[in-house]
Amino acid sequence: MKKVVISLGGSILIPSLENHTIREYVPVLQKIAKKSRLFVVVGGGGEARRYIGIARELGIDEGTSDEIGILITRLNATMLIAALGDAAYPKVAESHAEAKKFSEHGKIVVMGGITPGQTTDAVAAVLAERVGATAFINATSVDGIYSEDPKKNPKATRFDAITPQKLLEIVGKTALGAGSNNVLDIVAARVVERSGIPLIVIDGRKPENLAEAILKGKFRGTVVSDAKKKALPV
């Protein structure tokens, strides 16, 4: 069975306490898991950034602020596991080794952050490498990778396909601090480059986009691969 790692942004899963897409994501992830061995790495989203903002106001260092953010990612992961029920392994994986071990039970494996200074995108990229994933999918709030932030520049160019080297060029222009919110961080981009595992960036605001992409190969987004073609290898 093929293995797929999904980096699911916290701002996609739980945009606010009053609004979430967990209910919509549950049947989609369950459907995907029937065809692929599935790993989901959940981000902290706005809630993590709010806590990190308070930590900074209190003069708390960035490392500790990151650890606070990691706790929020694991809380989000716990919520998703509970909603998935029997389809998911009942414990949040707190390391890549645990994620690999949990996957032996044939359940969806869910995890959050691991290490201060590393986003959940980086955690997911390394996990894809460790488990030998067929594809690494980043479900985010934009429909692909752009030359610039499309929310700031509406004229930014969206790419259908780019190389890992081009990805590094794009993300290398952005800063990384606790709670950073970029399309992908530099660590994840470097892991994508060295692993050779295709990265697919798609709009995760509509959960069904994931099922269409993984099960049917239909999606609007960006493929990051040396193959230089818009195709989903799952």
Side-chain angles (χ1 to χ4, degrees):
M1 184 176 282
K2 294 178 180 178
K3 300 172 183 176
V4 177
V5 173
I6 299 172
S7 179
L8 184 53
S11 295
I12 297 300
L13 194 65
I14 309 177
S16 68
L17 294 178
E18 298 77 26
N19 184 28
H20 66 83
T21 59
I22 296 175
R23 186 175 289 106
E24 291 78 14
Y25 260 106
V26 165
V28 169
L29 295 175
Q30 290 172 336
K31 187 192 303 184
I32 294 169
K34 291 178 180 178
K35 301 291 184 179
S36 301
R37 187 68 58 84
L38 187 59
F39 300 80
V40 182
V41 182
V42 181
E47 203 60 38
R49 283 186 285 279
R50 282 189 282 275
Y51 271 84
I52 288 168
I54 294 171
R56 285 173 175 155
E57 286 179 12
L58 295 171
I60 296 172
D61 65 271
E62 286 293 292
T64 303
S65 297
D66 259 331
E67 290 177 345
I68 292 169
I70 287 170
L71 291 175
I72 301 301
T73 68
R74 292 178 178 176
L75 179 62
N76 288 347
T78 301
M79 186 83 75
L80 180 58
I81 287 172
L84 285 166
D86 290 341
Y89 189 81
K91 183 179 182 297
V92 175
E94 297 185 2
S95 69
H96 295 112
E98 275 197 348
K100 288 184 69 175
K101 182 178 179 181
F102 293 170
S103 72
E104 294 172 1
H105 295 269
K107 305 277 189 176
I108 300 171
V109 176
V110 184
M111 63 190 304
I114 294 178
T115 307
Q118 204 178 69
T119 69
T120 47
D121 284 340
V123 171
V126 174
L127 179 61
E129 189 176 49
R130 290 285 300 273
V131 302
T134 306
F136 165 33
I137 297 178
N138 184 20
T140 184
S141 59
V142 290
D143 59 351
I145 296 174
Y146 285 75
S147 56
E148 301 175 59
D149 187 342
K151 296 175 183 177
K152 296 179 180 178
N153 181 7
K155 295 183 179 180
T157 301
R158 187 183 66 83
F159 303 104
D160 282 340
I162 60 174
T163 64
Q165 293 72 33
K166 179 64 176 179
L167 174 64
L168 280 166
E169 179 185 322
I170 293 170
V171 303
K173 301 173 184 176
T174 58
L176 179 62
S180 72
N181 187 30
N182 304 317
V183 66
L184 203 76
D185 74 79
I186 192 73
V187 175
R190 290 197 181 282
V191 174
V192 168
E193 180 187 38
R194 79 182 184 192
S195 70
I197 296 170
L199 163 67
I200 298 91
V201 178
I202 63 175
D203 189 341
R205 289 172 291 187
K206 294 182 179 180
E208 193 58 35
N209 285 348
L210 273 179
E212 287 289 307
I214 296 172
L215 301 178
K216 299 180 182 179
K218 299 178 181 179
F219 65 98
R220 173 183 168 87
T222 303
V223 174
V224 181
S225 170
D226 281 323
K228 298 182 182 179
K229 59 183 179 180
K230 191 177 188 294
L232 191 62
V234 294

